[in-house]
Amino acid sequence: MRHSIIAGTPEILSGAFIYGSKEAPFYFPLHQHETNAEIFLILEGEGEFRVDGRRYRGKAGNLLMYNRGIWHEERSTSDKFAAVYVAYSGLRLQGMPADFLSGSAQAAMLELHEHFLPIKKLFVEMIEEWNSPLPESADVANGLLRALTGRLVRLLHYTAEDLVKKRPHKETVHLARRYMEENYPFDVTLETLANLTYTNPYHFIHVFKAETGMSPIQYLIRYRIEVAKQYLESTRLPMAEIAEKVGYKSDTYFQNLFKKTTGMSPGQYRAASRA
């Protein structure tokens, strides 16, 4: 029997071609999707992308993966830009959250190299079928999506030997990150994370830092600050309330930590984001 980690197949929610130019560049502000994921393939030109707090410079032949719930921002930077995207739900990979195509420790952008042309062909045909009025076009499009995600799962989870060897550590880190992302408003301790991942605190810190480049506490602070930025940009909530929403009982401590992390106070950040 052939091995597969795909436990649930996805279905398309929407999909389209995207274009940008020097006069009318493509831009989609920072946002997230709570109930679905997206795949974004650059066909022509270049762009800048922010995914889960990381920044990427993409070009033709690069594919970006926005897992469910992940914050992302997109903009074209070249005179001519073309891309294609699909939004989907229902994908389940063993050991990963729903609609997660890539692991949290993996980069959100994939350089396709020799795989670009066959994946481009699948992607373009899928979107053309999805937007076609012909009979059975939705079924054909969803079949092509399953072929596309199957190809990408191969590239992401089977091709690199070192990735296979490190997978247990990556799963440990992913579980801890997911817990922090879901429980950041509350008290998250090192002991809780170590117990959650069935490791001792010292080993857990070592594994987490080796995989992410930062300690668990540094990651938690970074995530809380990112959430605070969303509140500062999109609401008029007072600082004390934002501090409490992201897990800090002391407004003063929150404001000092925000400035230490970002280089500006929360008030300065709010003003700059609305300038």
Side-chain angles (χ1 to χ4, degrees):
M1 184 176 180
R2 294 181 181 179
H3 181 69
S4 175
I5 64 169
I6 300 176
T9 53
E11 292 194 359
I12 299 174
L13 299 176
S14 65
F17 293 94
I18 294 169
Y19 300 98
S21 65
K22 184 177 181 180
E23 296 75 20
F26 162 70
Y27 175 64
F28 208 119
L30 189 63
H31 62 289
Q32 66 169 175
H33 306 289
E34 295 183 354
T35 59
N36 65 270
E38 290 182 344
I39 305 171
F40 187 100
L41 177 64
I42 304 174
L43 303 175
E44 181 183 9
E46 299 178 351
E48 293 180 349
F49 304 85
R50 177 183 173 189
V51 187
D52 196 21
R54 305 178 191 176
R55 296 187 181 276
Y56 301 90
R57 293 186 62 86
K59 60 183 180 180
N62 292 165
L63 180 141
L64 291 113
M65 298 159 287
Y66 309 136
N67 293 328
R68 181 196 287 194
I70 296 299
W71 293 93
H72 55 286
E73 179 181 23
E74 308 147 311
R75 71 172 73 239
S76 61
T77 57
S78 54
D79 290 349
K80 294 182 67 177
F81 181 82
V84 60
Y85 90 93
V86 63
Y88 65 88
S89 66
L91 177 68
R92 286 191 175 273
L93 303 184
Q94 293 176 11
M96 296 176 65
D99 294 323
F100 265 56
L101 179 58
S102 59
S104 294
Q106 292 176 294
M109 189 173 77
L110 183 63
E111 296 185 7
L112 294 175
H113 301 297
E114 70 273 16
H115 301 285
F116 174 55
L117 290 180
I119 285 180
K120 174 184 175 181
K121 182 180 179 181
L122 264 178
F123 217 134
V124 169
E125 185 178 358
M126 174 183 68
I127 298 305
E128 288 176 345
E129 283 287 347
W130 178 252
N131 292 305
S132 168
L134 294 175
E136 315 301 336
S137 58
D139 285 336
V140 173
N142 278 308
L144 291 167
L145 173 62
R146 288 158 194 164
L148 174 65
T149 52
R151 290 275 187 96
L152 294 176
V153 166
R154 281 182 185 173
L155 292 175
L156 290 164
H157 301 287
Y158 288 100
T159 55
E161 290 184 3
D162 60 334
L163 181 61
V164 174
K165 291 176 182 177
K166 291 180 179 179
R167 187 169 297 160
H169 283 177
K170 289 186 180 295
E171 290 174 356
T172 294
V173 171
H174 173 77
L175 186 61
R177 285 181 56 161
R178 192 70 179 178
Y179 181 86
M180 287 187 275
E181 290 161 7
E182 293 176 350
N183 294 278
Y184 66 85
F186 312 111
D187 186 25
V188 179
T189 67
L190 181 60
E191 289 72 23
T192 299
L193 295 171
N195 290 337
L196 178 72
T197 55
Y198 300 99
T199 57
N200 65 64
Y202 175 80
H203 179 68
F204 171 71
I205 292 173
H206 175 76
V207 167
F208 194 96
K209 192 167 186 177
E211 292 292 332
T212 66
M214 65 184 78
S215 71
I217 299 304
Q218 288 172 327
Y219 179 82
L220 178 61
I221 291 171
R222 190 197 73 164
Y223 192 82
R224 284 172 166 170
I225 296 301
E226 285 299 313
V227 176
K229 287 179 181 179
Q230 310 306 318
Y231 284 118
L232 290 167
E233 292 172 9
S234 59
T235 75
R236 297 185 180 277
L237 292 174
M239 298 304 170
E241 189 170 344
I242 292 176
E244 186 175 356
K245 282 182 174 293
V246 298
Y248 297 110
K249 296 179 181 178
S250 169
D251 174 27
T252 302
Y253 180 77
F254 162 69
Q255 295 203 47
N256 289 337
L257 188 61
F258 190 98
K259 186 170 184 178
K260 182 179 179 181
T261 304
T262 66
M264 61 179 73
S265 70
Q268 290 171 330
Y269 181 87
R270 172 175 272 169
S273 70
R274 298 180 179 183

